[in-house]
Amino acid sequence: MTKRLFILLQKLSTRIFFPGILFILFTQSACKNDPEQIKALTSKNAIQEDKATDVTFIYSEHGKVKARLSSHIFIRNELAKPPYTDLKEGVKAEFYDDSNKISSTLTAGYARYYEKQGNILIRDNVVIVNKKGEQLNTEELVWNQKVEKFYTEKFVKITTSSQVLFGDGLEANNDFTWYHIKNLKGTVQVNKSEVPQ
C-alpha cells in the first residue's frame, strides 16, 4: 500500500510540479526588459515631451482663417531652454487672404517653433509658392512672427513665369508677394522703359 501511495504521489507531483515550472519560466521571461528600451522611455527628454502624429493646426484672427499647418509628427518640449515645438517628417502650411482664398503655400521636411521668441526655423527642401505661381526653393528659412517676414542667408532659387533667379540670402513678406534677394545671380529681365538711355 505504501508503494502504491508513493507512486501516486510521484505522479501527482509531476503533474503539478511540471506545469508550475513552466508557469514560472514564462513569467520570468516576460518580466525581462531591454535596458536600452527602459533608458529610452525614462530619459529626461522623453518624459518632458508631448508627442502626437498627423496633427493639423488652424490659426485664425477675428473669425477668419489665416493659416492651416499640418505635420506628420508633432513634438512639444515645454521644459527645454528655450521651449520649442518640432514638426517632423513633412510640414505643409497654407496661408489665406482676407477672401479666405489660399495666398501661398509652404512645404518642408522639418520646422521648429520657438514660441517665446516668435521664430520658426524651417529646413529640408523648403518650397514656397505664392498666388502668382512664383516659387522659392531653399534649404533653410526663418520666419519672424513679430515683423511677419521670412529670412535666410542660404542659397535661394526663385522661379517666375519668365525667369529663374538665384542668390545667397533673401527677405520676404508673409505671403511671398514681395521679396528681396541678396547677392543676386543670373539674368534679370527688365522692361525697356526701365533701362537708362
Side-chain angles (χ1 to χ4, degrees), residues 42-77:
T42 59
S43 72
K44 186 177 178 183
N45 285 344
I47 292 171
Q48 63 191 24
E49 290 179 344
D50 295 322
K51 295 181 181 180
T53 56
D54 298 324
V55 176
T56 299
F57 299 95
I58 298 174
Y59 173 73
S60 64
E61 285 181 357
H62 310 294
K64 289 190 176 182
V65 174
K66 291 292 186 182
R68 180 186 306 263
L69 175 70
S70 58
S71 177
H72 180 61
I73 295 177
F74 167 89
I75 301 171
R76 181 163 173 79
N77 190 329

Side-chain angles (χ1 to χ4, degrees), residues 95 103-104 128-131 143 150 172-178:
F95 301 94
S103 60
S104 59
I128 296 179
V129 179
N130 67 14
K131 61 184 171 186
W143 163 255
F150 287 105
N173 64 350
N174 64 341
D175 61 1
F176 192 55
T177 54
W178 173 88

Side-chain angles (χ1 to χ4, degrees), residues 68 91-96 102-108 126-131 134-136 150 174-176:
R68 180 186 306 263
V91 177
K92 182 178 181 182
E94 296 172 334
F95 301 94
Y96 295 85
I102 296 174
S103 60
S104 59
T105 60
L106 178 147
T107 57
V126 182
V127 178
I128 296 179
V129 179
N130 67 14
K131 61 184 171 186
E134 297 171 326
Q135 180 173 307
L136 163 70
F150 287 105
N174 64 341
D175 61 1
F176 192 55

